[in-house]
């Protein structure tokens, strides 16, 4: 039953990327081979946050990984909470997300043997250019949220238990604002991904918290712009974990771990750093940073 469900999931993913080798001096030992599928394709399933997919990062790095190892990566793009639940069910071989507290809980529950930091960027508060909350150009995200709530200015929340949604809720808490009591018609909970939330904010003239990577790659900006950035509380760390075969013996642990090892290797870290849009680097590798 589990195998059938995983194959059905895999059938809906995008076709394999055409790989181009990345010239590096770093060498990675080839992983142990997993059993081929009926079609002979060697692949793993990675459940990951929407920002790694929507920003275009996967489109850049996955062909490089496949060229190096021969392993295709099929991505389930979800909010972090859903991505971790996909791993809990054994419907993914690797989870690649950005909510450290949730990742550590996943690890403590035994669904992974270890968590590895991979990269970081930051969140930004996006808002309309006419700036009805009067926060544009500032760096204090807590003060900005207080101004939005006090003035009942429209705010769009992803509301999907993603890493971005979790970060947003934590910031409201730091601001001392109890959303259960304070939110009203000004607060729109869309229950969708980052692109949909940005589109909704654009249509409403609302503010929204976004990861910088998705914002840089977002094309339908309209009247939206960055209102608040640079607060240390907007730091956004990503981590990766191979699913524990003790929980789900069918997972492709060798190939899954090969992907983890590549991401944190000098070659993988360089591939992440090299991904840019219009000269802007979207993610900053930090696999060697203790405690990240």
């Amino acid at each position: 039953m589990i195998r059938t469900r995983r194959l059905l999931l895999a059938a809906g993913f995008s076709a394999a990327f055409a790989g181009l080798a990345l010239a590096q001096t770093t060498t990675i030992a080839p992983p142990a081979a997993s059993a081929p599928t009926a079609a002979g394709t060697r692949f793993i399933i990675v459940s990951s946050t929407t920002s790694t997919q929507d920003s275009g990062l996967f489109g850049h790095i996955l062909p490089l990984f496949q060229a190096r190892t021969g392993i295709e990566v099929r991505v389930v793009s979800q909010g972090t909470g859903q991505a971790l639940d996909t791993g809990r069910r054994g419907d993914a071989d690797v989870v690649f997300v950005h909510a450290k507290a949730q990742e550590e809980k996943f690890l403590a529950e035994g669904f992974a043997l270890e968590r590895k930091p991979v990269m970081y960027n930051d969140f930004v508060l996006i808002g309309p250019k006419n700036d009805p909350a009067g926060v544009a150009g500032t760096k204090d995200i807590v003060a900005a949220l207080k101004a939005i709530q006090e003035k009942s200015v429209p705010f769009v929340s992803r509301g999907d238990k993603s890493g971005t949604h979790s970060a947003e809720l934590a910031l409201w808490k730091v601001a001392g604002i109890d959303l259960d009591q304070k939110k009203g018609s000004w607060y729109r909970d869309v229950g969708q991904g980052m692109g949909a939330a940005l589109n909704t904010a654009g249509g409403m003239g609302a503010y929204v918290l976004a990861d910088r990577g998705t914002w840089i790659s977002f094309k339908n900006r309209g009247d939206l712009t960055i209102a608040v950035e640079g607060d240390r509380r907007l730091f956004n760390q990503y981590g990766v974990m191979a699913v524990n075969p003790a929980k789900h013996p069918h997972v492709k642990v060798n190939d899954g771990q090969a992907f983890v090892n590549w991401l944190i290797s000098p070659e993988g870290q360089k591939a992440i750093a090299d991904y840019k849009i219009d000269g802007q680097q979207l993610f900053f590798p930090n696999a060697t940073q203790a405690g990240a």
Side-chain angles (χ1 to χ4, degrees):
M1 181 65 181
I2 292 174
R3 177 175 174 79
T4 299
R5 185 169 68 238
R6 285 165 58 85
L7 290 174
L8 286 172
L9 279 172
F13 305 148
S14 59
F17 292 101
L20 295 175
L22 180 66
Q24 293 287 313
T25 57
T26 304
T27 59
I28 301 174
S34 60
T37 65
T41 303
R42 184 178 170 195
F43 72 91
I44 59 171
I45 295 174
V46 174
S47 60
S48 184
T49 172
T50 59
S51 58
T52 48
Q53 179 85 345
D54 294 349
S55 65
L57 177 69
F58 276 156
H60 173 72
I61 67 172
L62 296 188
L64 303 176
F65 171 72
Q66 185 170 356
R68 167 65 72 177
T69 64
I71 302 168
E72 176 193 349
V73 176
R74 301 181 182 182
V75 178
V76 184
S77 179
Q78 303 171 301
T80 284
Q82 293 174 307
L84 289 169
D85 284 343
T86 297
R88 285 187 176 93
R89 294 192 302 269
D91 286 334
D93 304 296
V94 175
V95 294
F96 187 1
V97 291
H98 66 138
K100 189 174 180 181
Q102 293 183 51
E103 295 164 41
E104 290 176 336
K105 182 175 185 290
F106 185 89
L107 183 62
E109 292 169 345
F111 288 103
L113 295 176
E114 60 180 349
R115 171 194 174 273
K116 293 291 188 181
V118 179
M119 62 191 188
Y120 70 91
N121 62 8
D122 62 343
F123 295 108
V124 288
L125 183 68
I126 304 300
K129 292 177 182 177
N130 65 350
D131 188 33
V135 299
T138 63
K139 292 186 177 182
D140 189 335
I141 185 61
V142 167
L145 292 178
K146 287 180 178 178
I148 289 169
Q149 185 270 318
E150 289 169 359
K151 298 178 181 181
S152 296
V153 176
F155 182 93
V156 169
S157 171
R158 282 182 59 170
D160 61 352
K161 298 182 180 179
S162 62
T164 304
H165 183 217
S166 296
E168 178 222 315
L169 294 179
L171 289 169
W172 286 113
K173 188 173 182 180
V174 172
I177 297 171
D178 185 342
L179 286 177
D180 290 335
Q181 295 182 0
K182 298 292 186 179
K183 70 180 178 182
S185 58
W186 61 274
Y187 186 91
R188 175 70 63 85
D189 192 329
V190 296
Q192 298 184 63
M194 195 71 256
L198 284 165
N199 281 325
T200 301
M204 293 178 59
Y207 293 86
V208 61
L209 188 72
D211 68 279
R212 189 183 293 272
T214 302
W215 171 249
I216 290 173
S217 63
F218 185 66
K219 303 303 181 186
N220 188 30
R221 294 184 179 183
D223 196 44
L224 295 177
T225 190
I226 294 177
V228 178
E229 61 183 329
D231 192 319
R232 60 179 178 78
R233 290 168 291 197
L234 293 173
F235 180 79
N236 181 29
Q237 176 69 45
Y238 290 77
V240 66
M241 297 174 283
V243 174
N244 188 354
K247 288 283 189 181
H248 297 291
H250 62 274
V251 298
K252 299 172 183 175
V253 62
N254 289 331
D255 287 357
Q257 191 61 51
F259 181 56
V260 172
N261 292 345
W262 183 83
L263 284 172
I264 64 175
S265 74
E267 181 177 331
Q269 294 280 278
K270 182 180 186 302
I272 290 168
D274 285 347
Y275 179 57
K276 298 177 182 178
I277 295 178
D278 296 331
Q280 297 182 76
Q281 185 172 336
L282 277 69
F283 301 95
F284 297 85
N286 68 340
T288 60
Q289 181 180 337

